[in-house]
Amino acid sequence: MENFNLFIRSIFVDNMVFAYFLGMCSFLAVSKNVKTAFGLGVAVTFMLVVTLPINYLLQNLVLKPGALTWLSADFANVDLSFLSLILFIAVIASMTQLVEMAVEKYSPSLYASLGIFLPLIAVNCAILGGSLFMQQREFGSVWTATCAGAGWGLGWLLAITAIAAIRERVAQYSNVPAPLRGIGITFIICALMGIAFMSFLGIKL
Amino acid sequence: MAEKISYKDIFFNPFSKNNPVIVQILGICSCLAVTAKLEPAIVMGLSVIAVLAFANVIISLIRKTIPTNIRIIVQLVVVAALVIIVNQLLLAYAYDVALQLSVFIGLIITNCILMGRLEAFAMGNKPWPAFLDGVGNGVGYALILIIVAFFRELLGSGTLLGFQVIPQCFYDAGYANNGLMILPPMALIVVACVIWVHRARNKELQENS
């Protein structure tokens, strides 16, 4: 039950985009039409669900102070946590490579439409951010980490699909002042959505 | 490239015409999250300048030996190593600020400015122009960070760097801090206003759609 609550909270209250501003770059760059945005959202969700448990295990079996005791009691004083950034990013980069190859083989159309942004998932801050939050909050088990990852991923998917839908309409129907066209108005739309998402803040789960 | 564009342009273009944040739209995430107060914004700006300059130099030095297939991983490892150094330095000498910045120092690794500059510039240029490009882009980023943080802290808390700027008599006369400015969404609106002003003055940057 606790994990389920965390899952829901990660989607709405701790939304990656609107509460922490993570993954903004691809969020702003790929949200011009709904289909591509949805594809990228699915890829990011998948990456979060896969990398968060792996990094959780790394954190608890290798990196944490005294985590290496399962190898030998001599390692009780070893603290490798300063290596966490480099290991987390290595896991993420290699998983991205795998996902890229899988998508290329099984869904060439999605591969073509995502284009350059597939390799860029490796540098999507939402994914590294997820791992760093996991480290900071000291989740209890692999399950908790997986649920949080799924929640954050779905929250990101929701956000990018919603803003892509709004942007499609804005590009068609509205007369935006010239200097704000394109990226400027997207910032403002995003801010308004962020304010809307803040209404979830008071909810305690 | 290096012959055609003078060193001066490499250094000064990112300040305004080719600013990484408001023109190239890179590195937005950290730009929004750390700007509620001026002090963390300045520290963050300095950290990014340092990491970007040295990463550019290192990648530029080894650019001919990196196999293209694994260049992203090599770049990430170089950047991650530099960020770890910065992180340990901050923990040692500026502990309070490091706590405020929390995960965002680590997230410098995935800051798109770094990947963008390494890919676009350091992979094809000599170390010295790469260093200038790194410092220039870092300063361009820090500049936006400081502008946004300045307005957010001034209007949101009435302070600058922690000192009270708006005099007490204003509050007595009914002035109130705008609490909305401290909340994250307002960072987006402030950046949008910066873009608005900037593009109104540089007409060639305006988009059609």
Side-chain angles (χ1 to χ4, degrees):
Chain A
M1 201 55 212
E2 202 148 277
N3 287 348
F4 184 71
N5 284 346
L6 183 75
F7 174 69
I8 300 291
R9 211 173 57 215
S10 309
I11 297 182
F12 294 108
V13 184
D14 289 348
N15 188 289
M16 270 288 172
V17 177
F18 297 123
Y20 300 119
F21 292 117
L22 294 179
M24 277 311 253
C25 310
S26 38
F27 179 77
L28 294 170
V30 193
S31 56
K32 273 196 182 131
N33 76 59
V34 175
K35 229 177 175 180
T36 330
F38 187 78
L40 187 71
V42 172
V44 167
T45 310
F46 180 75
M47 288 297 298
L48 270 166
V49 172
V50 175
T51 53
L52 225 61
I54 297 180
N55 282 341
Y56 177 83
L57 291 177
L58 262 181
Q59 162 76 7
N60 281 287
L61 294 181
V62 180
L63 296 171
K64 229 166 54 172
L68 281 171
T69 37
W70 59 275
L71 261 181
S72 147
D74 301 342
F75 293 131
N77 293 324
V78 178
D79 177 5
L80 292 177
S81 47
F82 67 94
L83 282 178
S84 56
L85 286 177
I86 221 163
L87 277 183
F88 288 172
I89 200 73
V91 167
I92 292 169
S94 45
M95 287 312 296
T96 316
Q97 203 79 50
L98 276 180
V99 170
E100 191 184 352
M101 290 192 287
V103 173
E104 193 178 4
K105 181 141 197 295
Y106 294 112
S107 171
S109 63
L110 180 64
Y111 184 76
S113 64
L114 286 180
I116 174 129
F117 289 102
L118 214 47
L120 281 186
I121 292 178
V123 284
N124 188 322
C125 359
I127 293 168
L128 183 63
S131 289
L132 292 177
F133 282 132
M134 174 273 294
Q135 186 186 29
Q136 203 182 35
R137 294 182 189 176
E138 298 171 350
F139 286 152
S141 74
V142 182
W143 278 117
T144 319
T146 319
C147 288
W152 280 326
L154 283 179
W156 203 86
L157 172 70
L158 189 76
I160 195 170
T161 316
I163 202 171
I166 297 177
R167 278 185 75 177
E168 273 186 358
R169 300 294 178 283
V170 167
Q172 272 175 334
Y173 300 121
S174 52
N175 187 14
V176 181
L180 272 181
R181 268 183 209 153
I183 207 67
I185 197 71
T186 314
F187 272 93
I188 291 179
I189 296 170
C190 188
L192 294 178
M193 288 175 76
I195 293 175
F197 259 74
M198 280 169 59
S199 56
F200 291 118
L201 272 183
I203 298 174
K204 286 261 179 334
L205 279 173
Chain B
M1 283 292 275
E3 281 79 29
K4 276 180 234 153
I5 304 176
S6 72
Y7 287 166
K8 197 175 141 216
D9 285 346
I10 292 176
F11 188 66
F12 284 109
N13 263 353
F15 285 17
S16 154
K17 252 189 225 143
N18 200 13
N19 188 289
V21 180
I22 58 176
V23 179
Q24 304 173 38
I25 318 294
L26 296 173
I28 309 289
C29 329
S30 50
C31 175
L32 301 172
V34 299
T35 49
K37 290 263 184 299
L38 202 49
E39 194 187 358
I42 293 175
V43 173
M44 185 74 183
L46 288 177
S47 319
V48 170
I49 295 176
V51 174
L52 190 53
F54 287 110
N56 254 357
V57 170
I58 293 174
I59 291 293
S60 167
L61 280 174
I62 59 173
R63 70 182 186 279
K64 287 188 183 130
T65 51
I66 304 176
T68 31
N69 289 338
I70 56 158
R71 65 177 193 288
I72 292 192
I73 296 177
V74 174
Q75 289 163 356
L76 282 177
V77 170
V78 169
V79 174
L82 286 168
V83 169
I84 289 175
I85 296 173
V86 167
N87 195 10
Q88 299 289 334
L89 278 177
L90 280 184
L91 284 176
Y93 295 110
Y95 191 68
D96 296 338
V97 184
L99 281 190
Q100 277 179 40
L101 289 171
S102 71
V103 297
F104 288 99
I105 287 293
L107 287 173
I108 295 179
I109 299 176
T110 50
N111 193 319
C112 333
I113 295 180
L114 281 158
M115 292 304 287
R117 291 329 292 171
L118 292 180
E119 273 289 287
F121 200 90
M123 288 301 283
N125 283 284
K126 294 208 178 76
W128 176 237
F131 177 75
L132 288 181
D133 179 78
V135 176
N137 276 288
V139 172
Y141 171 82
L143 215 60
I144 302 296
L145 226 60
I146 289 169
I147 294 174
V148 175
F150 174 82
F151 284 112
R152 285 184 72 190
E153 188 172 355
L154 182 65
L155 299 176
S157 329
T159 57
L160 283 178
L161 286 171
F163 298 107
Q164 194 69 32
V165 186
I166 294 182
Q168 189 59 39
C169 56
F170 276 44
Y171 289 103
D172 297 338
Y175 175 84
N177 285 327
N178 185 351
L180 199 59
M181 291 304 280
I182 304 185
L183 300 174
M186 286 313 285
L188 283 162
I189 298 206
V190 175
V191 175
C193 293
V194 174
I195 291 179
W196 194 349
V197 172
H198 185 252
R199 295 213 171 161
R201 302 187 55 177
N202 298 279
K203 292 238 172 1
E204 72 276 8
L205 291 173
Q206 295 175 6
E207 296 170 44
N208 292 320
S209 60

